[in-house]
Every structure is written in structure tokens, then in C-alpha cells.
């Protein structure tokens, strides 16, 4: 009953707040002092969906905004020419006193200044890998540092899982009948996944592919291995219902980073900085990365999703969990 009341109220308040934020932020025109591949990545990211509307209007390297004999304040001139109202500084720009001094002068005149990391956090809803160092990831994680949140999250998980088990009981005969006509084989599919603390557990789902087609390649949004029944189960997310048993067993939460297979975790941990940090919290059926990014089909996609997962770790709360749900 509480969830039935709180979730609609939260959604209403969130939408009203988001509408006000979007109206206020609709004129965010961004000038970024950034270089190399990170500049290209920022241009791509601001073209996609953003948490707050922003338009990247100009980019410059640190060397291009340093004071010159004929121009003591080049940054102010460039900001004026691009009609920008938000200045973003990458790590190199932050370390140059001449640039910081110009930014401080612009700040006193009403221009907003953000580090690249903070811009990604607030406007894009993720953390940029290029800006991260081990020390920068030592922020409080509520699931670890706030026992009250961990208990409330577990209560919410149990409440939803109990209703989910009722849905599972109703779905089993319907899926079994559908399988006989277009997806012959075992009803359920089980697979090892890596959970909190790196502990391996077995995840359960309704089978959506022919037997023996499970773990050799990445799963795609419209995977060609899916039959008609499997594609329908995926589209309706009915295949996820057996994971409610994993939630009851405390292998999973409703919300958290999506658990990966052990051999993928071993591969990604070798190639992606700080990948193992996602295992500090319990994995989930859904998460911030899942609602902001498509199925991951490569290590590049895994890196992109990890940026959203770091955002979730930093901002983990019941309000964010309800928003994701």
C-alpha cells in the first residue's frame, strides 16, 4: 500500500521538478576547454539524451585560451563570441593558473563554471572515465556507509519480490504453453553471474533462446538467436520474472548494476579501469545504466555503462531507486 501511494507521488513531484529544471536549464550553452578524444566523446554525449538540456557550442584546447601579449583575457572573448553561459574545464585546464584566473573573472560576471567531472554528473547522469582516479571514487556509497538505507532497500526488494513471485506463478503455465508452440526445450534458463563482493551466484530466467545458445556471445537488443516466443518474452520483460527468486535469496536487488557472467567480468576487469568497483553493491534486475543505455554488446559498451553505474554508486538513494523502478 505504501509503495502504491509513494511511487505515484514521487513520480509527480519528480516530473514537476524536472520540468522546472529543464525550463531553467534550457539555455545551457556550453564552452568546453578540453582536448583529444575526450572532446569528441563530449560532443557525442551532448547530442544524446541528457539529464539537463545542454548544447555544446564551442571547444578549445588549454593552449588556445592562454593569455597572450596582444590578448590578456582570450577566454572572455571566446565565451562572448560563442554566446556561452557555462564553462567546462577538463583536468589540464584546472591545473593552469592562468586559465583558472580567467574562469574566476568570468564567474564573477555570472558565467557558471564546472569541472568536466561535475558536468558529466549533473548534465549527463554519469561519470567520465578519463577524469577518474582511485581517490576520486572513494565517495560514500549508501549501501555500505548508511545501514538505514541498506535496510530500507532490502525491505523494498522483499515487498516487490513477493508480488513478483505471484506474477511468476501466473506466468509459468502461460509461458509453458507458448513454449510448446514456438520455443521447445526447458522452461527455465540458469547461468552463473558475479554478485556483490565478486561472489558467483546462479541467476534464473525464462529461456528465450534455443537450448545451448546462452553464453558464447554478448546479448543484443534484437538478438538473431531469439525465436518469436523468446522475442515476445524479452520485449515484455516477462523473462526476468524468475529473478524474483534471486531477490528473495538476496543474490539480487531490484535496482543495481546488472550482473555479468564470470568470464566477461574477468575480461572487462583487465581492460577497464576500476571495473571491479561495481561489485561493491548488490547487482540488480534493473539499474541506472539499463534505463540510460541499450544492451551492451562489446567492451566499449561495457565502459559506457560503467560510467552510469559509477553515477548510481555516488547518488544511491531510495528516491533514485524509485525513479529507476
Amino acid at each position: 500500500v505504501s509503495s502504491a501511494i509513494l511511487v505515484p507521488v514521487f513520480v509527480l513531484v519528480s516530473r514537476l521538478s524536472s520540468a522546472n529544471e529543464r525550463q531553467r536549464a534550457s539555455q545551457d550553452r556550453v564552452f568546453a576547454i578540453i582536448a583529444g578524444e575526450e572532446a569528441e566523446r563530449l560532443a557525442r554525449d551532448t547530442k544524446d539524451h541528457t539529464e539537463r538540456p545542454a548544447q555544446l557550442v564551442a571547444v578549445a584546447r588549454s593552449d588556445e585560451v592562454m593569455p597572450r601579449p596582444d590578448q590578456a583575457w582570450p577566454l572572455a572573448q571566446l565565451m562572448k563570441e560563442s554566446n556561452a553561459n557555462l564553462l567546462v574545464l577538463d583536468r589540464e585546464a584546472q591545473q593552469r593558473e592562468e586559465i583558472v584566473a580567467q574562469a574566476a573573472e568570468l564567474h564573477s560576471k555570472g558565467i557558471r563554471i564546472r569541472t568536466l567531472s561535475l558536468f558529466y554528473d549533473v548534465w549527463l547522469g554519469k561519470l567520465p572515465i578519463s577524469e577518474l582516479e582511485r581517490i576520486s571514487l572513494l565517495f560514500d556509497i549508501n549501501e555500505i556507509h548508511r545501514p538505514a538505507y541498506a535496510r530500507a532497500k532490502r525491505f523494498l526488494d522483499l515487498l516487490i519480490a513477493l508480488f513478483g513471485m505471484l506474477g511468476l506463478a501466473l506466468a509459468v503455465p502461460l509461458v509453458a504453453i507458448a513454449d510448446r508452440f514456438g520455443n521447445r526445450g526447458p522452461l527455465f534458463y540458469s547461468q552463473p553471474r558475479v554478485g556483490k563482493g565478486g561472489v558467483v551466484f546462479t541467476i534464473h530466467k525464462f529461456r528465450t533462446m534455443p537450448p545451448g545458445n546462452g553464453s558464447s556471445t554478448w546479448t543484443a537488443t534484437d538478438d538473431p538467436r531469439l525465436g518469436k516466443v523468446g522475442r515476445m518474452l524479452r520485449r515484455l520483460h516477462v523473462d526476468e520474472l524468475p529473478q524474483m527468486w534471486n531477490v528473495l535469496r538476496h543474490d539480487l536487488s531490484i535496482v543495481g548494476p546488472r550482473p555479468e557472467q564470470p568470464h566477461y567480468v574477468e575480461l572487462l576487469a583487465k581492460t577497464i579501469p576500476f571495473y571491479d568497483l561495481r561489485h561493491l553493491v548488490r547487482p540488480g534486475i534493473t539499474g541506472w545504466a539499463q534505463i540510460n543505455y541499450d544492451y551492451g554488446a562489446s567492451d566499449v559498451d561495457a565502459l559506457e555503462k560503467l560510467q552510469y553505474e559509477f553515477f548510481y554508486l555516488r547518488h544511491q538513494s531510495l528516491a533514485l531507486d524509485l525513479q529507476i523502478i
Side-chain angles (χ1 to χ4, degrees), residues 31-107:
F31 187 109
I33 303 179
I34 188 173
E37 294 181 2
E38 194 63 42
E40 298 175 6
R41 186 177 295 113
L42 180 62
R44 290 196 303 269
D45 288 343
T46 50
K47 285 182 180 178
D48 297 331
H49 164 76
T50 57
E51 292 300 302
R52 290 176 56 174
Q55 179 185 3
L56 184 62
V57 296
V59 172
R61 299 189 304 273
S62 292
D63 291 339
E64 296 173 328
V65 297
M66 293 291 287
R68 304 184 302 271
D70 61 329
Q71 178 60 275
W73 302 93
L75 185 53
Q77 181 63 33
L78 292 170
M79 289 287 291
K80 182 178 180 180
E81 290 174 358
S82 60
N83 193 30
N85 63 355
L86 178 63
L87 176 63
V88 175
L89 307 177
D90 69 2
R91 186 177 299 171
E92 181 183 354
Q94 295 168 47
Q95 293 173 345
R96 295 200 178 189
E97 181 58 37
E98 298 89 344
I99 295 177
V100 173
Q102 293 181 77
E105 180 67 19
L106 289 168
H107 181 264

Side-chain angles (χ1 to χ4, degrees), residues 20 24 27 41 54-55 74 127 151 177 184 236 261 265 277 287 309 321-322:
N20 290 334
R24 186 180 69 81
Q27 300 301 314
R41 186 177 295 113
Q55 179 185 3
L127 304 189
R151 289 192 295 269
I177 292 170
R184 288 186 175 274
L236 298 175
Q261 300 174 53
V265 169
L277 291 180
E309 289 168 352
D321 290 341
L322 288 171

